[in-house]
Amino acid sequence: MTRLAITVATFGALVIALVLGLLWFVVSPDGQRWEPAVNTLALLAGITGIFAERWAAERERRKQALFSIAAELEHNRWLLEDEAFSPDPARFDRRRVYPRLVLSAVDSAFASGALSPRRDIERIELLHRWRSTANAVNRRLDLTESLTFASTSAAEVEQFNRALHRDDGYLRGVRDLLDELSGEPSAARRPGG
């Protein structure tokens, strides 16, 4: 409420001063119009400066959010290349501790409102899908670790690891979504693709 009151008071005072400056310009004698003209232009510059500063700050916040998201997505791509995620069937009988996908930059961008619903609607929808999929993968990794470390059977461990690395599984889906967010076709990043 206080912020709104300050904003209304500031803009109200600037608009009143601008109107008075214009009236002063109109009623002043011909030889004395420089002072009201300068006063009016200064007030107009102050009003437009406020909007320009806000626009620049929003633009900078968006730019920083997009940079952070891109760095985080690249880090997640690197995580998915980790040895723990190796799709080598010869390694499926091993128990593994998996690195988790990171979502802090995406969460921060959503919480701060740095992305514009008008300008970034497709990106926002894609990032929501990414966030949901990455959370699901992280939960699956938790479950897979718990089950494989609790299991005494090497066959069960192999079965859990095979399920995690299926072609239609969560790891493939999260990799494809990373490629989509990066604007790269999925086949271009796959070996032999």
Side-chain angles (χ1 to χ4, degrees):
M1 181 66 181
T2 305
R3 184 177 177 184
L4 179 62
I6 291 171
T7 302
V8 168
T10 302
F11 280 107
L14 284 171
V15 168
I16 290 169
L18 181 62
V19 168
L20 290 174
L22 287 171
L23 288 173
W24 184 19
F25 179 77
V26 171
V27 298
S28 64
D30 287 340
Q32 298 176 356
R33 289 201 173 152
W34 287 108
E35 188 176 356
V38 169
N39 181 52
T40 303
L41 289 175
L43 289 168
L44 191 58
I47 291 171
T48 57
I50 290 171
F51 289 111
E53 188 277 328
R54 286 185 180 180
W55 176 79
E58 286 176 15
R59 186 178 170 114
E60 183 63 27
R61 190 172 62 235
R62 179 181 180 273
K63 182 180 171 184
Q64 288 175 347
L66 291 175
F67 178 79
S68 296
I69 289 169
E72 182 175 273
L73 292 174
E74 191 55 37
H75 177 75
N76 283 325
R77 185 184 308 283
W78 177 80
L79 281 178
L80 289 170
E81 299 299 323
D82 188 89
E83 180 181 312
F85 291 111
S86 171
D88 181 9
R91 301 172 53 102
F92 282 170
D93 62 342
R94 299 182 188 164
R95 289 168 175 85
R96 307 174 193 195
V97 175
Y98 296 96
R100 299 305 190 266
L101 298 173
V102 183
L103 295 164
S104 57
V106 172
D107 288 343
S108 177
F110 287 149
S112 70
L115 301 178
S116 165
R118 287 179 295 123
R119 186 174 182 185
D120 299 309
I121 189 69
E122 290 176 14
R123 181 177 282 122
I124 289 170
E125 289 174 5
L126 197 55
L127 286 171
H128 275 294
R129 276 191 20 225
W130 159 254
R131 188 175 180 283
S132 176
T133 303
N135 278 325
V137 166
N138 285 342
R139 283 192 305 276
R140 295 283 191 271
L141 294 175
D142 288 340
L143 182 61
T144 300
E145 283 176 2
S146 297
L147 293 174
T148 58
F149 281 100
S151 175
T152 57
S153 165
E156 282 183 347
V157 170
E158 184 176 349
Q159 181 182 2
F160 286 124
N161 283 321
R162 281 191 190 284
L164 189 64
H165 290 85
R166 288 189 333 228
D167 283 341
D168 63 342
Y170 277 94
L171 287 179
R172 173 60 61 206
V174 80
R175 283 184 175 116
D176 290 345
L177 198 49
L178 266 175
D179 292 340
E180 190 175 346
L181 280 162
S182 301
E184 300 177 21
S186 299
R189 295 198 59 87
R190 290 185 194 147

